[in-house]
Amino acid sequence: MNAAFGIDHPLLATHDIDALRQRLVALGFNMTAIGKHPWGTSTSLAMFDGCLLEIMGIYDETLLDKVPAGDFRFGRHVFEHLKSREGVALTALHSTDSKADARQAQQAGFSVAGHLEFGRDVVLPDGTEGRTKTTLALLPDALFPRLSLFLCQQHRPDLIYVPQWLEHPNSVDGICGVNIVAGHRHHEALRAQFSGIYGASETLAGGFQFQTANGVLRVLTPETFERECGPLSQEIHHEDTPCIAGMDFTARDLSKLVAFIERAKIGYARADDCVTLADPTQTANTVLRFCQSCANPASAH
């Protein structure tokens, strides 16, 4: 299971949530039906034990400024990022006590805008009905807005991490890393920022990384990212703002995953024990990489 400040779920913001959901289903993910947030965003999830893959769109622009957390408006933040391009607009870190973790984040130098609470009705596979309760603590980043974070506390994990919902036909069973692309000139600031919650970093060729409670958070130059993780979309190539441009997942059986990828007619590259989707524009400008072991993911090339 995940723990405080572990990678929980980056939000892949997309202009066409239906098309992206259908593509992920074709790739073998067990995606939830599209749901709605009270601040105008729509959502679909692939759930793992203690973390999620979440895609998000906009269903009602009139609600974007509803349910603010201080000066931060969740829907507006996602909408403004989509005006520029698809991609990760916000990233959730795991929490079992969002208020205490928010205080720790604030002490480490992060800005805490406020808290949001919401829930949704669910029906479990055995017919039992329940309502989830989720508390978010928003940590917007004024300097690097695409690296804005929020702490996510699930008060009813029994209604989220349901065993039948955690099984995916492609055998993918969790997130084991996120890959941030950032020019050298941003590395010092990012290293200082994340060390406040993760401690000392490990130096890599072309970057550095932190071990979180659920996977590795890497910061890589564009050149290193493309060499080690996969191709960047042209839209990200033209930016100078650090962002999460890749996600790493674990898969129990890569042959099952590859069979889905080939049936979906999506290009991929395979090296050692990793498979990387070749066209990030098919997955909201985010390189998805799947490994049987994520301790030291193989190069995608």
Side-chain angles (χ1 to χ4, degrees):
M1 289 292 290
N2 209 339
F5 298 104
I7 298 165
D8 196 291
H9 60 284
L11 304 181
L12 276 66
T14 177
H15 295 299
D16 190 340
I17 191 171
D18 293 289
L20 181 53
R21 181 183 179 277
Q22 290 170 11
R23 192 169 300 123
L24 291 170
V25 169
L27 287 169
F29 286 100
N30 179 15
M31 303 295 296
T32 65
I34 294 175
K36 296 179 179 179
H37 293 132
W39 43 78
T41 54
S42 51
T43 176
S44 178
L45 315 170
M47 291 179 280
F48 312 111
D49 189 7
C51 57
L52 313 166
L53 167 61
E54 181 167 13
I55 61 175
M56 187 167 289
I58 303 294
Y59 76 89
D60 190 340
E61 294 182 17
T62 69
L63 300 177
L64 296 176
D65 297 316
K66 302 293 185 181
V67 201
D71 291 333
F72 186 84
R73 288 159 172 76
F74 196 111
R76 177 67 59 184
H77 178 90
V78 175
F79 176 77
E80 292 298 328
H81 280 76
L82 272 174
K83 283 170 62 177
S84 172
R85 65 165 174 83
E86 294 187 319
V88 175
L90 274 167
T91 298
L93 302 180
H94 197 79
S95 178
T96 55
D97 187 337
S98 59
K99 292 184 178 179
D101 289 338
R103 287 193 294 270
Q104 182 179 340
Q106 196 163 32
Q107 291 169 0
F110 289 82
S111 297
V112 180
H115 297 259
L116 294 176
E117 286 195 359
F118 66 99
R120 61 185 176 89
D121 296 323
V122 298
V123 180
L124 299 181
D126 65 2
T128 302
E129 296 181 358
R131 184 168 178 82
T132 66
K133 180 183 177 182
T134 305
T135 301
L136 311 181
L138 283 304
L139 313 177
D141 190 322
L143 186 59
F144 305 131
R146 283 194 180 272
L147 295 183
S148 294
L149 306 171
F150 63 97
L151 298 164
C152 183
Q153 179 182 359
Q154 301 288 0
H155 298 271
R156 293 293 309 274
D158 57 308
L159 300 178
I160 301 292
Y161 307 122
V162 178
Q164 293 94 321
W165 296 345
L166 307 183
E167 287 297 320
H168 300 273
N170 59 14
S171 86
V172 176
D173 58 5
I175 297 170
C176 63
V178 296
N179 301 305
I180 294 171
V181 61
H184 268 300
R185 71 187 190 91
H186 298 302
H187 283 203
E188 184 177 349
L190 290 171
R191 193 191 297 262
Q193 177 175 328
F194 287 114
S195 66
I197 52 176
Y198 296 125
S201 63
E202 177 187 353
T203 299
L204 306 171
F208 53 93
Q209 67 181 21
F210 295 93
Q211 182 65 52
T212 83
N214 181 53
V216 174
L217 184 152
R218 297 181 192 84
V219 176
L220 304 169
T221 63
E223 297 79 12
T224 304
F225 184 101
E226 293 208 302
R227 184 176 67 248
E228 298 296 331
C229 301
L232 291 168
S233 71
Q234 286 302 309
E235 289 179 299
I236 292 181
H237 260 303
H238 295 152
E239 289 182 349
D240 185 42
T241 303
C243 65
I244 292 176
M247 293 178 63
D248 294 337
F249 299 83
T250 51
R252 296 186 304 275
D253 186 343
L254 287 179
S255 63
K256 287 186 177 180
L257 172 67
V258 167
F260 277 99
I261 294 173
E262 291 180 342
R263 281 198 294 270
K265 298 181 179 180
I266 293 177
Y268 68 96
R270 184 164 187 171
D272 299 327
D273 290 330
C274 287
V275 171
T276 304
L277 300 187
D279 182 0
T281 65
Q282 295 291 301
T283 47
N285 287 321
T286 306
V287 175
L288 302 189
R289 179 168 58 167
F290 307 89
C291 303
Q292 289 190 287
S293 170
C294 270
N296 291 290
S299 168
H301 302 287

